Amino acid sequence: MATAADQASDRLSFGPFNLVASERLLTKDGVPIGLGARAFDILIVLSTSPNEIISKKDLISRVWPDVTVEEGSLRFHMTSLRKALGDGKDGARYITTLAGRGYCFVAHVSRGSSAPEAPAAVANFPYANLPGRLSRIVGRDDDVQKLSADLTASRFVTIVGAGGVGKTTVAIAVAHHLMEAFAGSVLFVDLGMLIDPKLASTAVASMLGQSIQSDDATPGLIAFLKGRRILLVLDTCEHLVETVAPLAAGIIEAASQVHILATSREALRVEGEHVYRLEPLACPPVGVELTAAAVQQFPATQLFVERAIASGARLDFSDAEAFIIADICRKLDGVTLAIELAARRIESHGLQQTASLLDQRLARLWHGSRTAPARQQTLQATLDWSYGLLSEQERVVLRRLAVFVGHFTLDAALDVVTSAPLDRSIVFGAIESLVAKSMVATRPIGAMMRYRLLDTTRAYALDISLDPADAADLAMRHVSYYRRWLEQTGNEWETLTTGVERAPFFAGLNNVRAALEWCFGENGNVSIGIELTAAAAPVFLAMSLLIESQRWSERGLLALDDSRRGGREEMQLTAGLGVSLMFTRGNSDRVHAALSRSLEIAQDCSDALHSAAMLGMLQLFHLRGGDYRLALRCAEHSSMIASKLDNIRLKTMAHSLLGISRHLAGDLNGARVELEAALESESSSAAGRVAYFGFDHLSLAGASLATTLWLLGYSEQASARALKAVNDAERMSHPISLVIALTAITVLLWTDELDAAEQHLDSFISRAETQYFGPYVDVGRGLQAELAIRRGDVAAGVETLKNCLEKLHAAHYERFAARFSIMLARGYAATGRFMEGINLIEEIIPFVEAKGGIPYTPELLRLKGSILLKMPKPRIKEAETCFKQSLDLSRKHGSRVWELRAATDLAALWADQGRVKDARGLLLPVFEKFTEGVNADLCAAQHLLTRLG
């Protein structure tokens, strides 16, 4: 961005402060003041226009020219700036706020030349040679501030980081920041130019103008530095560590006013050293939908865009381009040099082609700045430099570590990398050394430290050829380790209820994927691949990775030979295939066959646990298909098995599925008992929330209980339960469970909370589309159509609803058939298409009766009666019969809501016939059953009762 610094290059003075905009340096009485980037920009804008009122809008546009921000951000950074200046303390006043108008810098400002006068001490230090600072360093302002403070306090700091991460650039920026504090006495020593370690002290001494008269220049150098206040920058120490370390330690001990800032790929490890690890630039996270504006907030992408434009590229920076740029920066791990090299290619190759070239070795040969040191001319040269510093054992271990994808644990590395020539102690020591040399990155995930090779380092290591036999042996150890890991952690996956808990497991799952690819690849081992796939199938389900579950389950089943059929491997693979297909593509014969086969094998193997689980999945299959009688049988069978087993998760699932079956069979009170029993387990420490065979059954129970409570007449409890189900599932960060919980928003439509329903519907559809949950997308669209009809946009709602019903029928997903038919018939009636509405109801009622009674039947009958009364020639007798049938079924099911609606319509009909007493006697007892909530149904009944007297 064109920062405020571009608008002012002069040196400004106000009070005890000096501001050098071009250096982004603010000092107070010669001491640097730490200030955030945005606060610094605000100061520059205000101080360069003293006594002028600058509106908030104008200030925001100049400080954040390419980003839309709220006034709250301005207020936050303004507070930080005022605190740094001491504004308002001891009578000092720098910035004033004019209500409704903006801000004004009110202190007296003096302007000096763009180059600050050299302090007198500089004349006594003619060796100052600090390279020029970059005009803008992206994403490192906080690092510069922290390093400046650390160096001032501790005197000796080493910036440690991977090659190309920007250690030298940051060190130079820190030295410029502290230039005035050291009165210009700053010496920069580039040790990267040296090959002979013995010349380290000689190089420093010669740059200080010392005469070298012995092989060891250290004593004379230390004698010269004593009593002098100097900042000594020792750049690129990693290849001279053995000599630079004692030299730095000796200077720090003997020369009390000398401060040392070193850069190295590993710490010097001497007394007094403070290590500052410079991390790569932050990149946009994976798996999050980001807009162009959001992507520009990350330092890695900011750097990429700035360097690309500076090289002549034209970027629109649309959301589509932002996605590609974010992906490029992630592939390059936020490494500054790699990002700059890639950005330079945009002008010649374009964005998409550059992204494609990153996957090829060619990208490592791209040239950067001509003025950069040779080791930083290309990414290949940087990696060659790093690799050349390793011992032979470290090189072997690095190459073997490249078998891991992403993060891995120390246990995994020791198991996989260790072999006959390399025992565990050698591997352990080599990994420790590679971490120290910034060739292997570390990061705590959960309670355990994780390790990984940066993608560029891993690609470099993979290019180093291995003997084919050694490569195969390494891959087999990798596969074997992760097969054991899946088997050992199998029971834990279902209990991971938050994204934080899943993070360590996802790291391991990356390696499972790589192992599967090798097993079924050209030179892989299919036999162990089948074992790995069977172990991975339930894990993919637990993590909502349905497409992967389907893909690898199919692959494993195709590879099974006759000798392995009928065992646990086929049982797990058919379960994985059936469940994943059901959620992504809907019901089909293939799904039923897979689930039935898994159940058959479980019964043959006397595996009661898996039998009960598969009966639960078959219950869900029939439930989605609209065959509620079969669903109830499966639920009852599963519940019977679960009651004999000491497994709280299975019992929770059984209560949940039995509850929803009874709900859809019309037994609302029985459903409530089962669903509340399932949800009681949530407070049990032995159970908690688990994703059992693909989803959290408490999410299903919560959504079903919300609907049940509404039908029973408890609208406030229903609304609260619906929102709780959604919020609990949100905290789990589990896609299938969340989509299932979001079906509870149907209650919000019934309770006329239309705005809240619309908000959740958008989330529902977005998640269903992202996760490829096919039928749920159409459910969401259907609910949106219902919302449109309720808001009066009937014509559009009817057409959308018809389309959704057709798609759901095609996917054999009939769970919402009755509900959507009710709304569609209501839409037909509202637009005068009475016979279409009646025909639709008469079609759906026999379907319901054939598959099993459901609690929507009373409403279908009531709606039919109301349509019959609205026809040009009202069919009063038929309508009255429909209302009476609706009342009888409502009372049988326990549905007070449908009972109230039917009683209100029938009472209104009787009142029109002069049967006022009968009408009041019918409606009043039903109305008085309601103890909570205010909604359209209660208002309509109350209005009628008032009219009836």
Side-chain angles (χ1 to χ4, degrees), residues 671-940:
R672 182 180 183 181
V673 170
E674 294 291 342
L675 294 169
E676 288 180 341
L679 290 165
E680 282 177 10
S681 67
E682 184 176 5
S683 59
S684 169
S685 59
R689 301 185 75 90
V690 297
Y692 196 59
F693 269 95
F695 66 97
D696 165 42
H697 287 77
L698 292 178
S699 297
L700 178 62
S704 301
L705 181 58
T707 306
T708 302
L709 288 170
W710 187 83
L711 288 171
L712 287 170
Y714 304 106
S715 60
E716 291 181 358
Q717 294 181 51
S719 181
R721 172 55 66 180
L723 293 174
K724 185 178 188 309
V726 173
N727 291 334
D728 288 346
E730 282 276 10
R731 283 194 293 272
M732 282 188 70
S733 298
H734 192 265
I736 300 179
S737 301
L738 180 56
V739 169
I740 287 173
L742 280 167
T743 59
I745 58 181
T746 56
V747 171
L748 302 181
L749 291 171
W750 282 330
T751 55
D752 295 323
E753 299 172 73
L754 303 187
D755 291 340
E758 182 177 27
Q759 177 185 349
H760 287 299
L761 271 175
D762 291 340
S763 175
F764 179 97
I765 294 171
S766 174
R767 292 173 185 274
E769 287 178 331
T770 302
Q771 299 294 327
Y772 303 103
F773 298 156
Y776 287 110
V777 175
D778 296 314
V779 169
R781 300 286 185 211
L783 292 172
Q784 280 186 328
E786 179 178 335
L787 177 64
I789 292 172
R790 289 180 182 276
R791 283 179 165 169
D793 189 4
V794 180
V798 164
E799 291 307 310
T800 301
L801 204 49
K802 282 175 62 179
N803 184 47
C804 290
L805 267 172
E806 289 174 4
K807 290 182 177 179
L808 290 170
H809 288 322
H812 305 288
Y813 189 93
E814 306 295 353
R815 170 83 189 279
F816 283 80
R819 179 192 177 111
F820 286 166
S821 295
I822 289 172
M823 285 308 301
L824 186 55
R826 178 173 162 179
Y828 283 148
T831 54
R833 299 157 67 179
F834 303 115
M835 285 310 301
E836 287 183 74
I838 290 174
N839 291 337
L840 177 62
I841 293 172
E842 289 178 346
E843 285 176 14
I844 197 69
I845 288 177
F847 172 82
V848 168
E849 292 174 347
K851 298 289 186 177
I854 60 171
Y856 293 103
T857 309
E859 177 63 359
L860 285 165
L861 289 166
R862 184 204 68 81
L863 184 57
K864 180 182 176 182
S866 70
I867 295 174
L868 289 169
L869 290 179
K870 292 178 182 177
M871 295 178 70
K873 293 182 179 180
R875 292 151 62 172
I876 297 173
K877 283 292 183 183
E878 289 181 57
E880 185 174 5
T881 300
C882 287
F883 293 148
K884 288 179 178 178
Q885 290 175 337
S886 176
L887 273 173
D888 290 341
L889 279 176
S890 299
R891 290 163 178 164
K892 180 180 177 182
H893 297 161
S895 176
R896 292 177 183 172
V897 169
W898 300 152
E899 183 184 6
L900 179 65
R901 287 188 179 181
T904 301
D905 283 1
L906 183 55
L909 176 61
W910 285 351
D912 290 343
Q913 295 172 343
R915 299 170 59 184
V916 175
K917 183 177 180 180
D918 291 341
R920 183 173 178 80
L922 169 67
L923 182 56
L924 184 59
V926 178
F927 178 79
E928 289 177 338
K929 292 179 183 179
F930 287 82
T931 58
E932 65 180 54
V934 177
N935 54 50
D937 296 325
L938 286 169
C939 290

Side-chain angles (χ1 to χ4, degrees), residues 310-361:
S311 298
R314 293 183 179 180
L315 291 175
D316 297 330
F317 211 78
S318 61
D319 288 349
E321 284 191 342
F323 177 83
I324 299 172
I325 292 171
D327 188 51
I328 288 174
C329 292
R330 284 194 296 266
K331 284 183 178 179
L332 297 173
D333 294 297
V335 175
T336 304
L337 175 62
I339 290 172
E340 290 182 343
L341 293 173
R344 288 174 179 269
R345 309 276 82 77
I346 303 302
E347 195 272 334
S348 56
H349 298 313
L351 194 57
Q352 189 67 62
Q353 183 65 23
T354 299
S356 301
L357 289 171
L358 283 178
D359 297 326
Q360 303 174 22
R361 188 179 183 278

Side-chain angles (χ1 to χ4, degrees), residues 8-90:
S9 58
D10 287 351
R11 181 185 185 186
L12 307 178
S13 299
F14 46 90
F17 295 97
N18 284 321
L19 171 65
V20 186
S22 60
E23 298 290 345
R24 297 186 69 79
L25 174 66
L26 176 69
T27 60
K28 181 180 181 182
D29 296 324
V31 179
I33 300 297
L35 203 58
R38 298 301 186 187
F40 203 102
D41 288 340
I42 293 170
L43 175 61
I44 292 173
V45 172
L46 293 175
S47 62
T48 52
S49 302
N51 300 315
E52 294 182 17
I53 300 171
I54 299 178
S55 69
K56 294 179 182 178
K57 182 178 179 181
D58 187 30
L59 190 54
I60 289 173
S61 69
R62 294 166 71 180
V63 175
W64 288 275
D66 302 316
V67 183
T68 301
V69 298
E70 300 295 332
E71 280 191 18
S73 296
L74 176 60
R75 288 194 296 271
F76 173 82
H77 292 291
M78 184 65 75
T79 300
S80 175
L81 173 59
R82 281 175 161 157
K83 183 177 180 182
L85 295 176
D87 198 15
K89 291 183 179 179
D90 301 323

